[in-house]
Amino acid sequence: MPDSAAPLHEQTRVFRAEQPLALESGESLANVTLAYRTWGRLNAAADNVVLICHALTGSADADSWWPGLIGEGGALDPTRDFIVCSNVLAGCYGSAGPYTRIDDDTGRRYGLRFPKISVRDMVAAQRLLLESLGVRRMSLVLGPSLGGMQTLEWAAMYPEWVQAIAPIGTSARHSAWCIGISEAQRAAIATDPNWQEGRYGDDRRPEQGLAAARMMAMVSYRSFENFEQRFAREMQDDATFSIQSYLRYKGQKLVDRFDAASYYRLTQAMDTHDVGRGREGTETTLQRIQCPALVVSVASDVLYPPAEQRFIAKHLPQATFRELASEHGHDGFLIDTDELATMLKHFRTGGLAPLSSCAV
């Protein structure tokens, strides 16, 4: 059983929407739930909110997976900010998704019967949560990778809500490179005999397929330099390469805490990402986002290379571009958090402090 079956963090709360959520696909999703955590207090004007959007396999526990960013005197300060982080729609840490949604007739988890969603659906669900908390406007929306996609969509969908954004290690539209990597991971999951077209039970989960998918992902999350420096051609006592042992460990670690169908649906959602889709094109949509933006890349990122963040910064009218000088690859934003925190703190207190909303 993945750890997501265990009780959530004691400070986690669960929002339950009163009305069904209309999805981009045309379907309607009833009984939407979002697990979330908060730090600090909402001020009288209800506008001191910082929304953290997490990456693919993240949770509402931002203080755990993003250490060093939340704290008194820090980039995100609970003595000043009301910080919110929710598990995304289709996640498996308390929010409605393939793992948490149970079929009342069969008692089985939904699996791939849970509908396809988009990044915009995730944001629409988050808005319902924030409205229930009495939020009127957010001083900052930020997030890495999938979280960065949500960040851009917040500014495009609800500009009147957002005063500033910080998309990190992400793209304005999912590239063929990323879609291909995600498809290969889904194929690995689907080849597991226990997959059963996404209708498996808790007793026979597609663990080997999910582990293989995670191993593929880890290669794209790090860099050539990082693997060479850390592993090179070092051998273990069992005559396997150290890098093999590392990837197997990472694969099993995800199996112990995540669900294959949730992973499948979330990667599909990421593939739909394009801020210009159904609008006036990617460049024009970015140009219409008028709020201050800190766009951060990781120098060694091969999954979302710096050119993609430079594209975002080029077309956002009030963007500042910064690059983490990290050799860790895409995951650098989770590792070099001290440098990232300094960037965010300077952004929030410097010349590009959030002063206006994103509305045109």
Side-chain angles (χ1 to χ4, degrees), residues 187-349:
I189 292 172
T191 57
D192 190 310
N194 290 342
W195 174 240
Q196 298 296 311
E197 297 183 341
R199 294 176 172 83
Y200 53 90
D202 287 342
D203 55 336
R204 297 187 65 186
R205 299 168 55 237
E207 296 183 356
Q208 292 183 348
L210 180 58
R214 186 60 165 186
M215 291 167 71
M216 293 179 190
M218 287 307 304
V219 173
S220 69
Y221 291 165
R222 298 303 173 93
S223 69
F224 176 91
E225 292 80 7
N226 177 253
F227 275 10
E228 279 297 300
Q229 290 177 7
R230 186 171 178 181
F231 304 108
R233 294 183 58 81
E234 180 182 327
M235 302 291 288
Q236 303 283 90
D237 292 340
D238 61 357
T240 60
F241 289 105
S242 294
I243 183 61
Q244 292 176 288
S245 176
Y246 171 78
L247 291 177
R248 291 168 183 170
Y249 163 76
K250 285 293 187 179
Q252 185 58 50
K253 189 174 180 180
L254 186 73
V255 165
D256 290 341
R257 72 175 181 87
F258 214 76
D259 174 62
S262 183
Y263 196 93
Y264 203 99
R265 280 289 185 249
L266 289 175
T267 56
Q268 287 179 319
M270 294 171 72
D271 288 350
T272 70
H273 171 62
D274 179 356
V275 293
R277 176 173 51 81
R279 294 171 177 148
E280 298 179 78
T282 307
E283 295 181 10
T284 299
T285 301
L286 290 173
Q287 290 164 1
R288 289 184 176 277
I289 296 174
Q290 297 294 314
C291 63
L294 174 65
V295 183
V296 181
S297 71
V298 180
S300 55
D301 194 341
V302 297
L303 186 60
Y304 299 94
E308 295 204 290
Q309 293 87 57
R310 290 184 183 276
F311 175 87
I312 295 171
K314 176 182 177 181
H315 294 290
L316 289 175
Q318 295 195 63
T320 296
F321 176 81
R322 292 290 184 270
E323 189 172 86
L324 285 173
S326 172
E327 295 183 351
H328 293 292
H330 183 63
D331 274 355
F333 58 74
L334 297 175
I335 299 169
D336 295 306
T337 54
D338 288 345
E339 183 181 355
L340 178 59
T342 298
M343 291 178 181
L344 285 166
K345 190 171 183 179
H346 178 75
F347 171 65
R348 302 193 71 195
T349 60

